[in-house]
Amino acid sequence: MQPRVPAPDFGARPADADADAEAGAEPRNEAPTPTHPPPPPPPPSPPPRRALPRPRQLLRPQLLLSWLPLLAGAALWTYSLPRVGFRSMGDYGLLDRFPATFYAALALLTCGFLVALRRAGTAPWWPAGYCASLLVALKAPPAVLYDSVRYPWASKHDAVVNQLLLNGELRPNGALSGNMSAYDQWPGFFTLTGGLVRAFGVDSAAVFLNWAPIAFGVLMMPVLVLLYRTFTEDWRLVWTAVWIFQLANWVGQDYLAPQGFAYLLHLSVIAVVLRHFVLPGSAGRLRDRSFLDPASAAVPPPTGTRQRAVGVAVLAPLILAVNASHQLTPVMLCVSLFALTLTRRYRNYGLLAVAALIMLAWDLTMGRPLFVETLGTLRDSLGQLTQNSRAGYAGELTGPGPELAGRANVLMVLAVAALAGAALLLRRRLVRAALPLLLVSLAPVPLFVVNDYGGEMLFRVYLFGLPGAAFFAAATLVPAAGGVRRPLRRRAGALTLHGALPVALLVLLAGFLPSYYGKEKMYYTPPAETALVTRAIDRAPEDALILATTGSFPQALHRYDHVGHWFFAEQELPENERMLADPARYLADGIPPGTDAYVILTRTQDIYAAGEGLLPPGGFDTLRSRLRASPLFRVVEEHPYGIVLEYRPSTGTTAPGSERP
């Protein structure tokens, strides 16, 4: 009996045929053919369309809005400068001499910066370009326009450089007049400037003196960026902080002077410390992104003991340069480093010890005469908060321009402080991450207890706290770009960025202009006045005494190592009022017997003494007329910009002016 053979199933396919089909193999020959013809293959898909080339980037509206305000603002600013009547300044300085196109240029730059800020994360060079343009627009007009040195007292720095180049020596223990020995005891900046004079092949530092604010500002920008990038990854926040710093830096300490140079080095040291001196295991929860503000940067990598030792060795020359250039900045640096030791992240006592030892070593050697003298005055100033926080020598600002500038100064300080304080409430996580920067900004405040620093401690404390204040003020105005899930907070952030930020920047711009240019009438000196003073001091014999109301006039300390100086009105107003009762006798009593003495009274002294409240209204004219009429003084030279008188005690009966040339 034969076995049954199953009927073939022509519709089935063996499993191995399916596997072969998935693998792409040819079907076997023995597979049965289907009863129905296979379906027709699908029509071939059309080839993919080639993407059309994008339009050139320069044609994009956003890019157009980025560079168009920059070009338009630069054109308006350039158009405005020849139309600034700086030689005929009135009570408001340059404020009413700038044409409307100048203010329009500043407004255009602000608008362009706000547009460029939206692309700061992908194109940070645009806000960087606007920040550099703002710096030039705000502080270059005097450098471009003036035919003399801005800030008449800055000419003494030129005199120090000339003395170094001429004599090739320093006299730190010399009894120099007008406290000029301080410049010989801290000569680092002047030695460097003398090298620049030789390198550029110019006659003196006066050639480039007015360009110092732009040079210091350009050098300061990368230091600020490095400082701010330590605590935030948001480029919008970084460049807004730089912008606010420039608007709030109205103090006028960035001219060609030791304090501007030392301040730049101070911030450089602080920036390096904050990035490269983090102790291992000290960040804690700050390395957890969920704990941080969305804009916060990660804590810099920790460094070992050997790396920090190398860092101290690298920073030591910078710290030495600070100590060789300025008296107060090393104190500010040590106070800031001490404040950083209060945090776990930067508890590095080694660097603080090195900075303190360098400061003490310099003060007890090169700077010993003035250091000992300053210690003697601390007994009277210690704890005098009201006295130490005063601005200037004495009196109150008088005149429309100085009074406006004084009010603008106060309002600017309050505005920056209010914006920075708001960040302490609105951006607490960012503040927690940037706590070291906050401590560095607050560290100089206790110095009000110690000394008034010649009426400048108020300005110096504000200046050293400004980098941190600008950062936290920007944090208030630039909300976090991501991480905000609540719609209400997201809308509030957008409103702040698009509403409060433009208003705040325009308000700060409006405050900067009177703060920086409101007293400009004091700061510009006609060349004829400078020539008058130079001739008078050149004629003075060796060891003569030069008398003037104040040292704020051009060439006031010309030949300071050959003649003495007495600025007799730099005192309290009541004492000056007694002096005006009989100025000739007052000055004669203060001139040592047998000393050749000359009184120089100039237009700039008149403006400065009145504006700073050193003399009562009309006091300068009274002083000039009474000295001119006194038989104790003979007119040597008289000019619309000033008068030079010689002290002649032996010719007290000579008619005034009879020996005038």
Side-chain angles (χ1 to χ4, degrees):
M1 182 175 170
Q2 296 197 4
R4 294 181 57 187
V5 179
D9 184 0
F10 296 105
R13 298 181 63 188
D16 55 353
D18 291 333
D20 290 339
E22 290 179 4
E26 292 292 335
R28 299 179 182 178
N29 294 332
E30 63 271 20
T33 57
T35 56
H36 302 286
S45 57
R49 297 178 59 187
R50 296 183 60 185
L52 295 177
R54 293 184 177 181
R56 296 185 63 182
Q57 294 291 327
L58 291 179
L59 299 181
R60 293 177 58 184
Q62 197 168 14
L63 272 177
L64 185 65
L65 290 176
S66 294
W67 60 262
L68 187 58
L70 185 62
L71 295 181
L76 286 177
W77 185 82
T78 305
Y79 171 83
S80 304
L81 287 191
R83 292 159 177 80
V84 178
F86 65 94
R87 291 188 179 88
S88 59
M89 281 186 285
D91 292 333
Y92 289 98
L94 286 179
L95 295 179
D96 56 355
R97 293 298 181 266
F98 284 134
T101 49
F102 178 82
Y103 296 105
L106 297 179
L108 270 175
L109 289 178
T110 303
C111 294
F113 172 75
L114 292 170
V115 173
L117 204 62
R118 302 181 64 177
R119 303 176 57 241
T122 57
W125 52 85
W126 280 112
Y130 274 98
C131 285
S133 300
L134 178 73
L135 172 69
V136 174
L138 291 178
K139 297 189 174 179
V144 176
L145 296 174
Y146 287 4
D147 46 12
S148 63
V149 172
R150 186 179 189 246
Y151 299 136
W153 54 86
S155 61
K156 64 184 177 182
H157 300 152
D158 184 37
V160 176
V161 174
N162 291 337
Q163 190 267 342
L164 286 175
L165 294 176
L166 181 63
N167 300 328
E169 64 177 357
L170 300 172
R171 296 188 298 166
N173 297 317
L176 299 177
S177 175
N179 207 24
M180 291 298 288
S181 58
Y183 296 114
D184 278 353
Q185 294 170 29
W186 281 269
F189 168 77
F190 301 107
T191 305
L192 174 62
T193 306
L196 293 178
V197 171
R198 289 283 188 255
F200 293 155
V202 296
D203 294 333
S204 68
V207 174
F208 52 80
L209 196 147
N210 286 348
W211 290 97
I214 294 91
F216 281 136
V218 170
L219 294 174
M220 190 75 68
M221 282 180 58
V223 178
L224 291 173
V225 171
L226 182 66
L227 189 65
Y228 296 150
R229 286 288 290 176
T230 305
F231 300 104
T232 182
E233 296 178 346
D234 190 345
W235 279 107
R236 302 175 308 155
L237 178 53
V238 170
W239 289 117
T240 303
V242 173
W243 189 275
I244 292 177
F245 177 88
Q246 292 181 348
L247 291 178
N249 188 14
W250 49 264
V251 183
Q253 296 297 323
D254 53 357
Y255 65 104
L256 194 69
Q259 56 264 35
F261 174 69
Y263 181 65
L264 174 64
L265 296 182
H266 163 85
L267 281 186
S268 301
V269 172
I270 295 299
V272 172
V273 170
L274 292 175
R275 291 190 70 90
H276 298 289
F277 278 74
V278 177
L279 292 177
S282 60
R285 297 180 64 187
L286 293 179
R287 297 201 182 277
D288 183 2
R289 293 298 306 177
S290 62
F291 181 72
L292 297 176
D293 186 277
S296 297
V299 177
T303 53
T305 304
R306 180 176 299 178
Q307 291 173 299
R308 292 195 299 275
V310 172
V312 172
V314 171
L315 291 178
L318 289 182
I319 298 174
L320 180 60
V322 172
N323 282 271
S325 301
H326 198 230
Q327 308 98 297
L328 181 63
T329 308
V331 179
M332 295 290 191
L333 180 59
C334 288
V335 169
S336 300
L337 293 177
F338 173 77
L340 288 178
T341 63
L342 302 178
T343 66
R344 291 183 58 197
R345 271 178 278 176
Y346 300 100
R347 197 165 292 164
N348 296 288
Y349 298 107
L351 181 61
L352 175 61
V354 169
L357 288 175
I358 291 176
M359 180 179 67
L360 289 176
W362 190 276
D363 289 344
L364 295 177
T365 54
M366 284 289 293
R368 186 175 183 275
L370 187 60
F371 178 67
V372 173
E373 179 184 341
T374 303
L375 289 180
T377 64
L378 292 181
R379 186 180 307 170
D380 298 328
S381 62
L382 194 64
Q384 301 293 329
L385 294 179
T386 304
Q387 181 72 10
N388 294 343
S389 59
R390 67 189 175 98
Y393 293 107
E396 299 290 338
L397 295 174
T398 59
E403 290 174 359
L404 176 62
R407 288 193 294 269
N409 296 163
V410 174
L411 293 176
M412 286 288 284
V413 173
L414 294 177
V416 174
L419 288 172
L424 304 182
L425 301 175
L426 302 176
R427 305 290 295 274
R428 288 191 293 271
R429 290 191 174 186
L430 179 63
V431 172
R432 189 179 294 112
L435 179 62
L437 183 58
L438 178 62
L439 292 177
V440 168
S441 302
L442 297 176
V445 174
L447 292 180
F448 280 128
V449 180
V450 181
N451 198 276
D452 68 341
Y453 199 68
E456 293 188 7
M457 185 61 75
L458 177 65
F459 303 127
R460 302 304 173 88
V461 169
Y462 170 78
L463 183 62
F464 279 89
L466 183 57
F471 176 81
F472 292 111
T476 299
L477 298 171
V478 181
V484 180
R485 298 180 179 180
R486 298 180 183 180
L488 183 60
R489 287 190 178 182
R490 191 182 302 113
R491 286 195 294 270
L495 181 62
T496 302
L497 185 62
H498 300 299
L501 177 61
V503 172
L505 296 187
L506 289 175
V507 168
L508 291 176
L509 175 62
F512 172 88
L513 292 170
S515 296
Y516 196 73
Y517 286 118
K519 298 192 293 185
E520 197 66 22
K521 191 176 180 181
M522 300 181 190
Y523 303 155
Y524 171 71
T525 303
E529 180 180 338
T530 303
L532 170 69
V533 176
T534 305
R535 287 194 304 270
I537 297 180
D538 283 340
R539 284 195 299 256
E542 195 79 10
D543 296 326
L545 182 63
I546 304 298
L547 288 77
T549 56
T550 173
S552 296
F553 66 98
Q555 295 291 84
L557 292 164
H558 176 54
R559 294 182 63 214
Y560 71 92
D561 55 332
H562 295 282
V563 298
H565 299 85
W566 178 21
F567 303 131
F568 55 85
E570 290 183 349
Q571 55 192 356
E572 300 294 334
L573 180 60
E575 182 66 20
N576 284 332
E577 291 175 339
R578 287 191 289 271
M579 177 267 296
L580 288 175
D582 189 358
R585 178 52 52 193
Y586 182 92
L587 297 182
D589 292 342
I591 298 174
T595 301
D596 296 315
Y598 298 84
V599 179
I600 301 177
L601 303 176
T602 66
R603 164 191 170 275
T604 303
Q605 293 180 51
D606 184 7
I607 297 171
Y608 185 88
E612 294 292 335
L614 298 177
L615 295 175
F620 193 88
D621 291 337
T622 300
L623 173 67
R624 175 172 173 161
S625 60
R626 290 181 178 178
L627 289 179
R628 192 177 185 280
S630 172
L632 295 174
F633 292 90
R634 177 182 70 92
V635 176
V636 176
E637 184 176 356
E638 192 168 7
H639 193 278
Y641 292 110
I643 185 173
V644 180
L645 304 104
E646 180 185 6
Y647 177 55
R648 301 290 296 273
S650 60
T651 57
T653 57
T654 304
S658 60
E659 299 183 28
R660 194 179 312 164

